[in-house]
Structure formats: C-alpha cells, structure tokens
Amino acid sequence: MTNDTFSITDEQRDYSQFGLEENPFPYSPVPDNDPALYCGQEHATRAISDTVSTMLSTGKSKHLVVTAKYGNGKSHTLKYTRSLVRDREDVVVGYVAQPGEGFRDIYHEFVYDLGFDRIQTLAYEYLAQVARNTTDCNPTDASTVEQLIDDGEVLLSELVPEAVQQLNNVTKFADFARAIVHMVYEDTNLYAWQWLTAEGIRYEQRKEMEIHSALDDDTTSVRAFTALKNLLLDLGYTGVFVFVDEFESIARLSAKAEQATLNSIRHLMDQNSHGLCMLFGCAPEVWQDVMSEYHAFSERIGQEVALRPLTDDHINKLVSTYIAPARTNGTGGVDPFTEESLSIIHQRSQGNIRQVLSVCSRVLDAAVDEERSRIDADFIQEEI
C-alpha cells in the first residue's frame, strides 16, 4: 500500500498567465460574514433599499421577506444589506442565522450577536444620560461616565436607583431595567448577561440582582426585545434592524410551535410600530405556506421580493465583478472565460449563483494546471 498517488503541497498556483494574482472565486461558495461584493438584481436591491431607507428616514417600522431557492443568494443578500447599515451610529443591527425552536431562540441569537460589550456600553450610555439629568457632571458618552465612576466623581449608589426607576418607566419591564443596570457591576454582570440572553440563571443569582422573573419563554422574550428597543429609542437611536436568515426552518417545527413562533413575531411587530425593521430570508415554498395559513403574520410583512435565477447577463456581470479585484494586467470583462463558456455554465447551473461560483473556481484552477490560455466552451464541456 502506498501514498504515491497523493500530491499534497503548499505551493500556490500561478494565475499570472491570466493576468490574475489569485483565484478570485470562493472554493466553498458560502456567504462571507461581511461580503465585499454584491451583484444584485435591480428589483431586489430597489425593494430592500426602500424598506431600509423608509425606516431610517421616518423611524416607522417596516419589514421585508427575501425569497429564493437554495443557493440563489438569500444569505448573501441579507449579510450584504447588514454590512451597509451595521456601521451606522444611530441604529443597532443583529443577525439571526436561523429561527431555532421559537422566538426565544431568535431573541437569544439577536442579543448574543450584539455581544456582551455592546450591551454593557448601552448600560453605561444610559447611566451617562441619567447622570447628565441628575448630577452636576456632564458625561457625554459611555466611556466618560465609566471614567467618572472609576474616579469616584459619580457614585453608583446614587446613580443606580434613579437609573432603574427611569429605565423602568421607559421599558415597562422592571426586571429588564435591573438586568441592564447590573451590566456595570463586576460581581453580577455575567449573571445579568445570562439573563438578558435568555440563557437561564439560578434563583439565587436572580435574587442577588432583585430580578423576580425568569426570561425563559417566547412571551417574556418578546417583552424583553421590546424593552431593549425602547431603551435604544430613549437613548436617541433611530431603531433596530433584525436579519433572520433561513426562516424556512420553521417548517420543521410542529404546527403548534410554528404558529407560536409566528404569533410571537406578530406580537413583536404589533408592539413596535416605530423603530423596528425585520428582514427575513426564506425559501419560496415555505413562504407560500405561511402566507396561505398564517394571514395574521404574513400581512404584517410589507413586501416580498424574490431573487430569480441568474440570466446570461447576470452571470457575465457576476464573473467580471469577482475577477476585477484580482486583475493585474489592466484588462476587464470576463477574460479568461469566453462568452460561450459562461453560457454553458449558465445552462448547467440553471442560474444558481452558488453553482456558478463553484464551477468557475474549479475550472479556473484546472485551466492553470493544464496551462490553458483561455477557458473556452470545449474546456468547460470537458471539466463539468
């Protein structure tokens, strides 16, 4: 028995014969967390832009579902849209990879995506707001009030009771208010984080923070999400964006659990007519079932936009967009691919983006290995 048939090496392929510094196509065509490229279909980008812009410009809640077959770009579209709004200072953005077993899981993933540091910063931002209104100090942001507390210029013992009272008035959820404030205490911030992420904590840990209820079901999770959004609006934020991917997975739930999840999201939308924008990615067949069986939920979604399979023109644009950043010879277009070769890729992939990228990546490496000068129709026929 021998391993002579293997040829494993860390030597990189040389793509210079095509005027490229690397293979620009992904070997595993799954969306990056922060996609740098997006070749959108105009009707889809227009609908998404309108939904996001409306919420940003008016503050009124608006929601959208993006439907497409597997591999046609739902996740990429959601993640690219998220990247466009995530760096804005006036909104908070969270990504939920899939809805899980119910709204409690959606809430958990959303808060977890924000992260411990972001929630703690929000707590300090609120203390800064309270300090400006109740003390002679004028902290402008979270880091300033944290420094004042560390220096003893502002005493937590004086600030916290007023902060809890004001935050309770804002959120209408006393336990949530106490959990947020406890994010600034070293002794209890991990307990507070666990409670806020709906992970569950022991009674003794809740008692230490004077929190009376457990955040352990869909109803209290909807209440906590609304409380968080109200906190953000009170701090001056425009609103919250929630990206829920793979929404079609709710079809795997029992009928009772599916209806409970959709009802919880509907209640969330009903309780938040301002400051909330939810974008869902969903397979079209599941969305059709939701529309036909759960009118109360689907009617809350302002619009559905469908990503269609790519056309020849779309594929040419997709390939040229991916290749452009890797070019070293100043040329453009789809070279080294020929128009005919891309037509064959289109036929074989049926316009599926994931398959197009996978084939392009594979045949480009094969062309380098065989020292081809171009990737024509005959070569594509041989390789796929």
Side-chain angles (χ1 to χ4, degrees):
M1 191 170 181
T2 174
N3 287 333
D4 291 345
T5 56
F6 286 91
S7 178
I8 296 175
T9 175
D10 59 0
E11 183 178 351
Q12 295 185 357
R13 286 186 173 88
D14 181 5
Y15 299 91
S16 59
Q17 67 196 77
F18 297 133
L20 301 173
E21 62 182 8
E22 63 178 358
N23 186 336
F25 303 102
Y27 289 110
S28 177
V30 295
D32 292 334
N33 279 333
D34 294 299
L37 301 174
Y38 186 72
C39 299
Q41 299 172 31
E42 188 176 348
H43 72 287
T45 56
R46 188 167 55 243
I48 294 169
S49 298
D50 178 71
T51 299
V52 173
S53 300
T54 297
M55 212 288 274
L56 290 173
S57 61
T58 69
K60 295 179 181 177
S61 298
K62 193 169 185 179
H63 317 293
L64 173 76
V65 61
V66 179
T67 60
K69 297 286 186 183
Y70 290 103
N72 274 342
K74 295 188 298 296
S75 297
H76 192 97
T77 298
L78 290 188
K79 289 183 175 180
Y80 189 80
T81 306
R82 177 185 62 163
S83 72
L84 297 177
V85 296
R86 186 167 57 184
D87 293 335
R88 291 180 63 101
E89 294 183 352
D90 62 336
V91 298
V92 167
V93 179
Y95 178 80
V96 178
Q98 52 96 12
E101 302 298 319
F103 185 80
R104 177 174 170 269
D105 287 346
I106 293 176
Y107 168 81
H108 168 81
E109 289 297 318
F110 174 81
V111 178
Y112 213 83
D113 189 56
L114 298 187
F116 179 95
D117 291 343
R118 186 67 188 273
I119 296 293
Q120 189 178 57
T121 298
L122 290 174
Y124 276 115
E125 283 184 37
Y126 199 79
L127 291 182
Q129 179 171 285
V130 173
R132 288 195 293 272
N133 296 331
T134 60
T135 71
D136 295 332
C137 300
N138 188 31
T140 55
D141 54 26
S143 59
T144 307
V145 76
E146 185 177 4
Q147 188 62 53
L148 288 172
I149 292 169
D150 290 344
D151 294 342
E153 297 290 331
V154 174
L155 298 178
L156 273 177
S157 58
E158 296 177 356
L159 208 55
V160 163
E162 183 64 27
V164 171
Q165 181 60 48
Q166 291 189 19
L167 194 51
N168 187 26
N169 293 336
V170 169
T171 63
K172 312 298 182 190
F173 195 173
D175 285 345
F176 179 88
R178 294 190 185 95
I180 285 290
V181 171
H182 272 277
M183 287 295 294
V184 306
Y185 288 103
E186 288 187 8
D187 292 343
T188 54
N189 56 21
L190 288 179
Y191 298 157
W193 169 247
Q194 287 179 285
W195 188 89
L196 287 167
T197 54
E199 289 185 350
I201 59 175
R202 297 196 307 273
Y203 170 75
E204 293 78 10
Q205 296 167 336
R206 281 196 281 122
K207 186 178 179 181
E208 190 173 343
M209 298 184 290
E210 299 181 85
I211 291 176
H212 304 291
S213 62
L215 190 57
D216 58 0
D217 58 26
D218 286 1
T219 301
T220 52
S221 296
V222 169
R223 194 178 176 195
F225 192 107
T226 300
L228 175 60
K229 190 225 68 179
N230 289 341
L231 161 64
L232 293 167
L233 295 192
D234 194 64
L235 286 172
Y237 288 84
T238 303
V240 180
F241 285 89
V242 187
F243 295 86
V244 184
D245 205 355
E246 298 186 15
F247 195 64
E248 62 272 7
S249 64
I250 64 167
R252 294 198 293 266
L253 302 177
S254 67
K256 184 179 180 181
E258 181 179 353
Q259 184 166 15
T261 301
L262 297 177
N263 279 337
S264 295
I265 299 173
R266 176 172 66 85
H267 290 149
L268 181 75
M269 292 175 175
D270 289 348
Q271 293 173 21
N272 295 279
S273 60
H274 286 74
L276 177 64
C277 181
M278 299 190 73
L279 284 86
F280 301 87
C282 187
E285 57 273 18
V286 173
W287 184 245
Q288 289 299 319
D289 291 342
V290 169
M291 284 199 299
S292 62
E293 298 176 16
Y294 303 100
H295 298 284
F297 168 76
S298 61
E299 289 171 356
R300 264 73 174 178
I301 306 294
Q303 190 176 358
E304 174 194 354
V305 62
L307 300 177
R308 306 176 187 124
L310 301 181
T311 64
D312 276 325
D313 288 342
H314 288 142
I315 289 178
N316 284 10
K317 183 179 179 183
L318 179 76
V319 171
S320 63
T321 301
Y322 264 87
I323 287 179
R327 285 201 186 282
T328 58
N329 60 2
T331 61
V334 298
D335 183 65
F337 293 88
T338 65
E339 298 281 347
E340 293 76 16
S341 68
L342 292 182
S343 291
I344 293 174
I345 292 175
H346 180 210
Q347 293 168 15
R348 295 295 182 89
S349 66
Q350 298 184 334
N352 184 287
I353 297 175
R354 184 176 296 163
Q355 294 184 31
V356 170
L357 294 175
S358 178
V359 170
C360 287
S361 179
R362 181 156 48 90
V363 297
L364 184 60
D365 279 355
V368 169
D369 292 343
E370 297 190 17
E371 299 181 349
R372 294 264 180 170
S373 60
R374 61 192 313 209
I375 301 174
D376 56 22
D378 291 338
F379 185 66
I380 293 289
Q381 295 281 17
E382 294 171 10
E383 292 297 322
I384 64 177

